[in-house]
Amino acid sequence: MTENFICLLLLLLVISHTFPAAGEPDQVKYSYRIEKLSHFRFYSHNIFSGPNPTVVNIVPPLEHKNKTTWLFGKVDMIDDPLTETPEAASRLLGRAQGLYAMASQEEIGMLMAMDFVFSTGKYNGSTLTILGRNPALEKVREMPVIGGSGLFRFARGYVEASTYSYDIKTGDAVVEYNVYVLQ
């Protein structure tokens, strides 16, 4: 009797895994592939000055209680060129598009939400999406890559940003990005 009961349970178990219950969604089968780690280095030109700025303030900084300008709450929209070298005239690889918000009350700490939009070569039309905290005064800042499109679909990884140059008079900056992404 016990042997029959065990056989019946095993048969029910096999049948329940072979035939999905009514109303269950179709299961998607994924093939496994070896992920590849890619490293990219390029430079973003954050330009406030001149006739064609790449940064536009969309939420101005608030005035603090003691009547001093306070950066907390300030939001800027960016459409910065991404180049192969730090020189502005070097080969254009794409654009850094998105926004950054001053999210810290105690330091220059920004919330970065941006896409690297590639416009040349193999990655033309593909994007990488970055969302994270950028403590701007640190030498190297790390932010996560949370996804992408095109050849970077399902990408994940991280970005290391470091300031290559900064003009204190204009606010213009060149930032080096080292991107490490699994695809």
Side-chain angles (χ1 to χ4, degrees), residues 130-161:
I130 287 71
L131 177 66
R133 183 173 187 276
N134 182 353
L137 297 180
E138 290 185 15
K139 183 175 176 154
V140 178
R141 291 91 65 191
E142 185 176 306
M143 295 169 280
V145 172
I146 62 167
S149 67
L151 291 177
F152 295 115
R153 188 177 299 133
F154 295 120
R156 65 187 191 284
Y158 66 98
V159 171
E160 291 180 338

PDB file of all heavy atoms in Angstrom, residues 130-161:
ATOM      1  N   ILE A 130      23.013  55.355 -16.442  1.00  0.00           N
ATOM      2  CA  ILE A 130      23.695  55.514 -15.164  1.00  0.00           C
ATOM      3  C   ILE A 130      22.739  56.209 -14.200  1.00  0.00           C
ATOM      4  O   ILE A 130      22.072  57.175 -14.573  1.00  0.00           O
ATOM      5  CB  ILE A 130      24.986  56.364 -15.326  1.00  0.00           C
ATOM      6  CG1 ILE A 130      26.094  55.590 -16.040  1.00  0.00           C
ATOM      7  CG2 ILE A 130      25.539  56.800 -13.981  1.00  0.00           C
ATOM      8  CD1 ILE A 130      25.911  55.343 -17.437  1.00  0.00           C
ATOM      9  N   LEU A 131      22.658  55.693 -12.990  1.00  0.00           N
ATOM     10  CA  LEU A 131      21.832  56.314 -11.958  1.00  0.00           C
ATOM     11  C   LEU A 131      22.538  56.121 -10.627  1.00  0.00           C
ATOM     12  O   LEU A 131      22.718  54.990 -10.179  1.00  0.00           O
ATOM     13  CB  LEU A 131      20.441  55.674 -11.904  1.00  0.00           C
ATOM     14  CG  LEU A 131      19.512  56.199 -10.804  1.00  0.00           C
ATOM     15  CD1 LEU A 131      19.158  57.655 -11.049  1.00  0.00           C
ATOM     16  CD2 LEU A 131      18.250  55.359 -10.734  1.00  0.00           C
ATOM     17  N   GLY A 132      22.943  57.226 -10.010  1.00  0.00           N
ATOM     18  CA  GLY A 132      23.646  57.074  -8.741  1.00  0.00           C
ATOM     19  C   GLY A 132      24.127  58.388  -8.171  1.00  0.00           C
ATOM     20  O   GLY A 132      23.912  59.459  -8.726  1.00  0.00           O
ATOM     21  N   ARG A 133      24.814  58.274  -7.047  1.00  0.00           N
ATOM     22  CA  ARG A 133      25.321  59.426  -6.310  1.00  0.00           C
ATOM     23  C   ARG A 133      26.711  59.790  -6.818  1.00  0.00           C
ATOM     24  O   ARG A 133      27.557  58.929  -7.011  1.00  0.00           O
ATOM     25  CB  ARG A 133      25.393  59.079  -4.823  1.00  0.00           C
ATOM     26  CG  ARG A 133      25.836  60.215  -3.961  1.00  0.00           C
ATOM     27  CD  ARG A 133      25.707  59.843  -2.475  1.00  0.00           C
ATOM     28  NE  ARG A 133      25.975  60.999  -1.651  1.00  0.00           N
ATOM     29  CZ  ARG A 133      27.202  61.393  -1.295  1.00  0.00           C
ATOM     30  NH1 ARG A 133      28.250  60.709  -1.678  1.00  0.00           N
ATOM     31  NH2 ARG A 133      27.360  62.465  -0.551  1.00  0.00           N
ATOM     32  N   ASN A 134      26.934  61.092  -7.010  1.00  0.00           N
ATOM     33  CA  ASN A 134      28.213  61.596  -7.489  1.00  0.00           C
ATOM     34  C   ASN A 134      28.727  62.654  -6.521  1.00  0.00           C
ATOM     35  O   ASN A 134      28.364  63.821  -6.615  1.00  0.00           O
ATOM     36  CB  ASN A 134      28.042  62.186  -8.886  1.00  0.00           C
ATOM     37  CG  ASN A 134      29.339  62.701  -9.471  1.00  0.00           C
ATOM     38  OD1 ASN A 134      30.373  62.752  -8.823  1.00  0.00           O
ATOM     39  ND2 ASN A 134      29.277  63.101 -10.725  1.00  0.00           N
ATOM     40  N   PRO A 135      29.584  62.270  -5.554  1.00  0.00           N
ATOM     41  CA  PRO A 135      30.195  63.254  -4.650  1.00  0.00           C
ATOM     42  C   PRO A 135      31.325  63.968  -5.396  1.00  0.00           C
ATOM     43  O   PRO A 135      32.464  63.506  -5.430  1.00  0.00           O
ATOM     44  CB  PRO A 135      30.706  62.410  -3.485  1.00  0.00           C
ATOM     45  CG  PRO A 135      30.912  61.049  -4.062  1.00  0.00           C
ATOM     46  CD  PRO A 135      29.957  60.905  -5.215  1.00  0.00           C
ATOM     47  N   ALA A 136      31.010  65.093  -6.022  1.00  0.00           N
ATOM     48  CA  ALA A 136      31.847  65.731  -7.039  1.00  0.00           C
ATOM     49  C   ALA A 136      33.249  66.105  -6.590  1.00  0.00           C
ATOM     50  O   ALA A 136      34.144  66.212  -7.426  1.00  0.00           O
ATOM     51  CB  ALA A 136      31.129  66.961  -7.584  1.00  0.00           C
ATOM     52  N   LEU A 137      33.477  66.321  -5.315  1.00  0.00           N
ATOM     53  CA  LEU A 137      34.801  66.744  -4.870  1.00  0.00           C
ATOM     54  C   LEU A 137      35.747  65.577  -4.588  1.00  0.00           C
ATOM     55  O   LEU A 137      36.940  65.792  -4.350  1.00  0.00           O
ATOM     56  CB  LEU A 137      34.693  67.652  -3.646  1.00  0.00           C
ATOM     57  CG  LEU A 137      33.950  68.978  -3.893  1.00  0.00           C
ATOM     58  CD1 LEU A 137      33.904  69.808  -2.623  1.00  0.00           C
ATOM     59  CD2 LEU A 137      34.566  69.755  -5.043  1.00  0.00           C
ATOM     60  N   GLU A 138      35.237  64.350  -4.635  1.00  0.00           N
ATOM     61  CA  GLU A 138      36.124  63.192  -4.472  1.00  0.00           C
ATOM     62  C   GLU A 138      36.904  62.962  -5.766  1.00  0.00           C
ATOM     63  O   GLU A 138      36.412  63.248  -6.856  1.00  0.00           O
ATOM     64  CB  GLU A 138      35.317  61.941  -4.106  1.00  0.00           C
ATOM     65  CG  GLU A 138      34.749  62.008  -2.709  1.00  0.00           C
ATOM     66  CD  GLU A 138      34.063  60.720  -2.296  1.00  0.00           C
ATOM     67  OE1 GLU A 138      34.263  59.682  -2.961  1.00  0.00           O
ATOM     68  OE2 GLU A 138      33.326  60.770  -1.308  1.00  0.00           O
ATOM     69  N   LYS A 139      38.117  62.455  -5.623  1.00  0.00           N
ATOM     70  CA  LYS A 139      38.974  62.258  -6.794  1.00  0.00           C
ATOM     71  C   LYS A 139      38.342  61.293  -7.801  1.00  0.00           C
ATOM     72  O   LYS A 139      38.296  61.561  -8.992  1.00  0.00           O
ATOM     73  CB  LYS A 139      40.348  61.759  -6.358  1.00  0.00           C
ATOM     74  CG  LYS A 139      41.302  61.615  -7.507  1.00  0.00           C
ATOM     75  CD  LYS A 139      42.692  61.236  -7.074  1.00  0.00           C
ATOM     76  CE  LYS A 139      43.517  61.037  -8.320  1.00  0.00           C
ATOM     77  NZ  LYS A 139      44.897  61.237  -8.150  1.00  0.00           N
ATOM     78  N   VAL A 140      37.868  60.153  -7.326  1.00  0.00           N
ATOM     79  CA  VAL A 140      37.206  59.166  -8.184  1.00  0.00           C
ATOM     80  C   VAL A 140      35.840  58.874  -7.586  1.00  0.00           C
ATOM     81  O   VAL A 140      35.718  58.595  -6.404  1.00  0.00           O
ATOM     82  CB  VAL A 140      38.028  57.861  -8.292  1.00  0.00           C
ATOM     83  CG1 VAL A 140      37.295  56.826  -9.140  1.00  0.00           C
ATOM     84  CG2 VAL A 140      39.398  58.147  -8.865  1.00  0.00           C
ATOM     85  N   ARG A 141      34.814  58.983  -8.424  1.00  0.00           N
ATOM     86  CA  ARG A 141      33.437  58.705  -7.988  1.00  0.00           C
ATOM     87  C   ARG A 141      32.917  57.488  -8.751  1.00  0.00           C
ATOM     88  O   ARG A 141      33.135  57.378  -9.952  1.00  0.00           O
ATOM     89  CB  ARG A 141      32.512  59.895  -8.287  1.00  0.00           C
ATOM     90  CG  ARG A 141      32.779  61.120  -7.446  1.00  0.00           C
ATOM     91  CD  ARG A 141      33.757  62.081  -8.039  1.00  0.00           C
ATOM     92  NE  ARG A 141      33.304  62.703  -9.280  1.00  0.00           N
ATOM     93  CZ  ARG A 141      34.085  63.403 -10.059  1.00  0.00           C
ATOM     94  NH1 ARG A 141      35.351  63.560  -9.781  1.00  0.00           N
ATOM     95  NH2 ARG A 141      33.629  63.948 -11.171  1.00  0.00           N
ATOM     96  N   GLU A 142      32.244  56.598  -8.030  1.00  0.00           N
ATOM     97  CA  GLU A 142      31.703  55.387  -8.651  1.00  0.00           C
ATOM     98  C   GLU A 142      30.187  55.448  -8.672  1.00  0.00           C
ATOM     99  O   GLU A 142      29.553  55.761  -7.671  1.00  0.00           O
ATOM    100  CB  GLU A 142      32.164  54.160  -7.871  1.00  0.00           C
ATOM    101  CG  GLU A 142      31.753  52.861  -8.510  1.00  0.00           C
ATOM    102  CD  GLU A 142      32.297  51.656  -7.769  1.00  0.00           C
ATOM    103  OE1 GLU A 142      33.522  51.585  -7.557  1.00  0.00           O
ATOM    104  OE2 GLU A 142      31.480  50.792  -7.406  1.00  0.00           O
ATOM    105  N   MET A 143      29.614  55.152  -9.839  1.00  0.00           N
ATOM    106  CA  MET A 143      28.157  55.125  -9.997  1.00  0.00           C
ATOM    107  C   MET A 143      27.765  53.855 -10.747  1.00  0.00           C
ATOM    108  O   MET A 143      28.523  53.376 -11.599  1.00  0.00           O
ATOM    109  CB  MET A 143      27.685  56.357 -10.772  1.00  0.00           C
ATOM    110  CG  MET A 143      27.917  57.666 -10.037  1.00  0.00           C
ATOM    111  SD  MET A 143      27.656  59.107 -11.082  1.00  0.00           S
ATOM    112  CE  MET A 143      29.194  59.165 -11.992  1.00  0.00           C
ATOM    113  N   PRO A 144      26.591  53.313 -10.475  1.00  0.00           N
ATOM    114  CA  PRO A 144      26.189  52.065 -11.141  1.00  0.00           C
ATOM    115  C   PRO A 144      25.639  52.278 -12.548  1.00  0.00           C
ATOM    116  O   PRO A 144      24.976  53.269 -12.831  1.00  0.00           O
ATOM    117  CB  PRO A 144      25.093  51.515 -10.228  1.00  0.00           C
ATOM    118  CG  PRO A 144      24.545  52.702  -9.516  1.00  0.00           C
ATOM    119  CD  PRO A 144      25.666  53.695  -9.402  1.00  0.00           C
ATOM    120  N   VAL A 145      25.941  51.321 -13.418  1.00  0.00           N
ATOM    121  CA  VAL A 145      25.274  51.197 -14.718  1.00  0.00           C
ATOM    122  C   VAL A 145      24.075  50.305 -14.452  1.00  0.00           C
ATOM    123  O   VAL A 145      24.230  49.180 -13.978  1.00  0.00           O
ATOM    124  CB  VAL A 145      26.197  50.562 -15.778  1.00  0.00           C
ATOM    125  CG1 VAL A 145      25.417  50.260 -17.057  1.00  0.00           C
ATOM    126  CG2 VAL A 145      27.389  51.458 -16.067  1.00  0.00           C
ATOM    127  N   ILE A 146      22.878  50.814 -14.701  1.00  0.00           N
ATOM    128  CA  ILE A 146      21.671  50.053 -14.361  1.00  0.00           C
ATOM    129  C   ILE A 146      20.983  49.426 -15.566  1.00  0.00           C
ATOM    130  O   ILE A 146      19.967  48.757 -15.420  1.00  0.00           O
ATOM    131  CB  ILE A 146      20.670  50.918 -13.570  1.00  0.00           C
ATOM    132  CG1 ILE A 146      20.193  52.104 -14.397  1.00  0.00           C
ATOM    133  CG2 ILE A 146      21.287  51.369 -12.257  1.00  0.00           C
ATOM    134  CD1 ILE A 146      18.997  52.819 -13.816  1.00  0.00           C
ATOM    135  N   GLY A 147      21.526  49.636 -16.746  1.00  0.00           N
ATOM    136  CA  GLY A 147      20.918  49.035 -17.927  1.00  0.00           C
ATOM    137  C   GLY A 147      21.407  49.711 -19.183  1.00  0.00           C
ATOM    138  O   GLY A 147      22.373  50.472 -19.175  1.00  0.00           O
ATOM    139  N   GLY A 148      20.716  49.422 -20.267  1.00  0.00           N
ATOM    140  CA  GLY A 148      21.088  50.012 -21.538  1.00  0.00           C
ATOM    141  C   GLY A 148      20.136  49.568 -22.629  1.00  0.00           C
ATOM    142  O   GLY A 148      19.134  48.902 -22.368  1.00  0.00           O
ATOM    143  N   SER A 149      20.470  49.948 -23.853  1.00  0.00           N
ATOM    144  CA  SER A 149      19.659  49.553 -25.003  1.00  0.00           C
ATOM    145  C   SER A 149      20.583  49.178 -26.150  1.00  0.00           C
ATOM    146  O   SER A 149      21.791  49.416 -26.097  1.00  0.00           O
ATOM    147  CB  SER A 149      18.718  50.694 -25.410  1.00  0.00           C
ATOM    148  OG  SER A 149      19.469  51.791 -25.913  1.00  0.00           O
ATOM    149  N   GLY A 150      20.007  48.606 -27.190  1.00  0.00           N
ATOM    150  CA  GLY A 150      20.809  48.182 -28.333  1.00  0.00           C
ATOM    151  C   GLY A 150      21.771  47.080 -27.930  1.00  0.00           C
ATOM    152  O   GLY A 150      21.372  46.106 -27.289  1.00  0.00           O
ATOM    153  N   LEU A 151      23.044  47.250 -28.244  1.00  0.00           N
ATOM    154  CA  LEU A 151      24.037  46.236 -27.893  1.00  0.00           C
ATOM    155  C   LEU A 151      24.268  46.146 -26.388  1.00  0.00           C
ATOM    156  O   LEU A 151      24.901  45.206 -25.918  1.00  0.00           O
ATOM    157  CB  LEU A 151      25.359  46.513 -28.610  1.00  0.00           C
ATOM    158  CG  LEU A 151      25.337  46.311 -30.126  1.00  0.00           C
ATOM    159  CD1 LEU A 151      26.680  46.676 -30.742  1.00  0.00           C
ATOM    160  CD2 LEU A 151      24.968  44.880 -30.475  1.00  0.00           C
ATOM    161  N   PHE A 152      23.756  47.108 -25.632  1.00  0.00           N
ATOM    162  CA  PHE A 152      23.914  47.098 -24.172  1.00  0.00           C
ATOM    163  C   PHE A 152      22.639  46.659 -23.439  1.00  0.00           C
ATOM    164  O   PHE A 152      22.494  46.881 -22.243  1.00  0.00           O
ATOM    165  CB  PHE A 152      24.350  48.473 -23.670  1.00  0.00           C
ATOM    166  CG  PHE A 152      25.706  48.877 -24.155  1.00  0.00           C
ATOM    167  CD1 PHE A 152      25.855  49.958 -24.993  1.00  0.00           C
ATOM    168  CD2 PHE A 152      26.837  48.159 -23.784  1.00  0.00           C
ATOM    169  CE1 PHE A 152      27.108  50.345 -25.445  1.00  0.00           C
ATOM    170  CE2 PHE A 152      28.091  48.530 -24.229  1.00  0.00           C
ATOM    171  CZ  PHE A 152      28.231  49.632 -25.065  1.00  0.00           C
ATOM    172  N   ARG A 153      21.705  46.038 -24.150  1.00  0.00           N
ATOM    173  CA  ARG A 153      20.493  45.552 -23.497  1.00  0.00           C
ATOM    174  C   ARG A 153      20.886  44.590 -22.378  1.00  0.00           C
ATOM    175  O   ARG A 153      21.755  43.749 -22.548  1.00  0.00           O
ATOM    176  CB  ARG A 153      19.629  44.834 -24.535  1.00  0.00           C
ATOM    177  CG  ARG A 153      18.268  44.446 -24.025  1.00  0.00           C
ATOM    178  CD  ARG A 153      17.432  43.809 -25.119  1.00  0.00           C
ATOM    179  NE  ARG A 153      17.230  44.737 -26.217  1.00  0.00           N
ATOM    180  CZ  ARG A 153      17.399  44.406 -27.490  1.00  0.00           C
ATOM    181  NH1 ARG A 153      17.782  43.207 -27.832  1.00  0.00           N
ATOM    182  NH2 ARG A 153      17.184  45.305 -28.424  1.00  0.00           N
ATOM    183  N   PHE A 154      20.280  44.738 -21.222  1.00  0.00           N
ATOM    184  CA  PHE A 154      20.556  43.948 -20.012  1.00  0.00           C
ATOM    185  C   PHE A 154      21.945  44.208 -19.425  1.00  0.00           C
ATOM    186  O   PHE A 154      22.423  43.437 -18.605  1.00  0.00           O
ATOM    187  CB  PHE A 154      20.393  42.437 -20.246  1.00  0.00           C
ATOM    188  CG  PHE A 154      19.004  42.012 -20.575  1.00  0.00           C
ATOM    189  CD1 PHE A 154      18.737  41.372 -21.782  1.00  0.00           C
ATOM    190  CD2 PHE A 154      17.970  42.236 -19.693  1.00  0.00           C
ATOM    191  CE1 PHE A 154      17.451  40.965 -22.092  1.00  0.00           C
ATOM    192  CE2 PHE A 154      16.688  41.838 -19.992  1.00  0.00           C
ATOM    193  CZ  PHE A 154      16.424  41.201 -21.195  1.00  0.00           C
ATOM    194  N   ALA A 155      22.592  45.301 -19.826  1.00  0.00           N
ATOM    195  CA  ALA A 155      23.932  45.598 -19.306  1.00  0.00           C
ATOM    196  C   ALA A 155      23.871  45.930 -17.822  1.00  0.00           C
ATOM    197  O   ALA A 155      22.866  46.425 -17.310  1.00  0.00           O
ATOM    198  CB  ALA A 155      24.537  46.778 -20.068  1.00  0.00           C
ATOM    199  N   ARG A 156      24.973  45.638 -17.148  1.00  0.00           N
ATOM    200  CA  ARG A 156      25.131  46.042 -15.753  1.00  0.00           C
ATOM    201  C   ARG A 156      26.621  46.242 -15.514  1.00  0.00           C
ATOM    202  O   ARG A 156      27.453  45.651 -16.189  1.00  0.00           O
ATOM    203  CB  ARG A 156      24.533  45.034 -14.796  1.00  0.00           C
ATOM    204  CG  ARG A 156      25.198  43.686 -14.780  1.00  0.00           C
ATOM    205  CD  ARG A 156      24.399  42.699 -13.915  1.00  0.00           C
ATOM    206  NE  ARG A 156      25.127  41.484 -13.668  1.00  0.00           N
ATOM    207  CZ  ARG A 156      25.300  40.508 -14.534  1.00  0.00           C
ATOM    208  NH1 ARG A 156      24.801  40.612 -15.733  1.00  0.00           N
ATOM    209  NH2 ARG A 156      25.982  39.433 -14.205  1.00  0.00           N
ATOM    210  N   GLY A 157      26.906  47.134 -14.578  1.00  0.00           N
ATOM    211  CA  GLY A 157      28.302  47.416 -14.306  1.00  0.00           C
ATOM    212  C   GLY A 157      28.447  48.671 -13.476  1.00  0.00           C
ATOM    213  O   GLY A 157      27.562  49.017 -12.693  1.00  0.00           O
ATOM    214  N   TYR A 158      29.548  49.375 -13.690  1.00  0.00           N
ATOM    215  CA  TYR A 158      29.768  50.608 -12.948  1.00  0.00           C
ATOM    216  C   TYR A 158      30.623  51.568 -13.765  1.00  0.00           C
ATOM    217  O   TYR A 158      31.281  51.181 -14.730  1.00  0.00           O
ATOM    218  CB  TYR A 158      30.410  50.329 -11.588  1.00  0.00           C
ATOM    219  CG  TYR A 158      31.812  49.785 -11.643  1.00  0.00           C
ATOM    220  CD1 TYR A 158      32.910  50.620 -11.473  1.00  0.00           C
ATOM    221  CD2 TYR A 158      32.048  48.429 -11.868  1.00  0.00           C
ATOM    222  CE1 TYR A 158      34.206  50.123 -11.524  1.00  0.00           C
ATOM    223  CE2 TYR A 158      33.333  47.923 -11.911  1.00  0.00           C
ATOM    224  CZ  TYR A 158      34.411  48.782 -11.742  1.00  0.00           C
ATOM    225  OH  TYR A 158      35.684  48.282 -11.796  1.00  0.00           O
ATOM    226  N   VAL A 159      30.553  52.828 -13.346  1.00  0.00           N
ATOM    227  CA  VAL A 159      31.300  53.905 -13.984  1.00  0.00           C
ATOM    228  C   VAL A 159      32.177  54.547 -12.926  1.00  0.00           C
ATOM    229  O   VAL A 159      31.734  54.777 -11.798  1.00  0.00           O
ATOM    230  CB  VAL A 159      30.320  54.974 -14.532  1.00  0.00           C
ATOM    231  CG1 VAL A 159      31.059  56.206 -14.993  1.00  0.00           C
ATOM    232  CG2 VAL A 159      29.478  54.417 -15.637  1.00  0.00           C
ATOM    233  N   GLU A 160      33.421  54.833 -13.283  1.00  0.00           N
ATOM    234  CA  GLU A 160      34.289  55.640 -12.438  1.00  0.00           C
ATOM    235  C   GLU A 160      34.476  56.982 -13.127  1.00  0.00           C
ATOM    236  O   GLU A 160      34.919  57.036 -14.276  1.00  0.00           O
ATOM    237  CB  GLU A 160      35.644  54.965 -12.233  1.00  0.00           C
ATOM    238  CG  GLU A 160      35.562  53.726 -11.385  1.00  0.00           C
ATOM    239  CD  GLU A 160      36.915  53.064 -11.187  1.00  0.00           C
ATOM    240  OE1 GLU A 160      37.839  53.286 -11.994  1.00  0.00           O
ATOM    241  OE2 GLU A 160      37.029  52.317 -10.203  1.00  0.00           O
ATOM    242  N   ALA A 161      34.109  58.044 -12.419  1.00  0.00           N
ATOM    243  CA  ALA A 161      34.242  59.391 -12.959  1.00  0.00           C
ATOM    244  C   ALA A 161      35.344  60.122 -12.206  1.00  0.00           C
ATOM    245  O   ALA A 161      35.451  60.009 -10.986  1.00  0.00           O
ATOM    246  CB  ALA A 161      32.926  60.152 -12.805  1.00  0.00           C
TER     247      ALA A 161
END
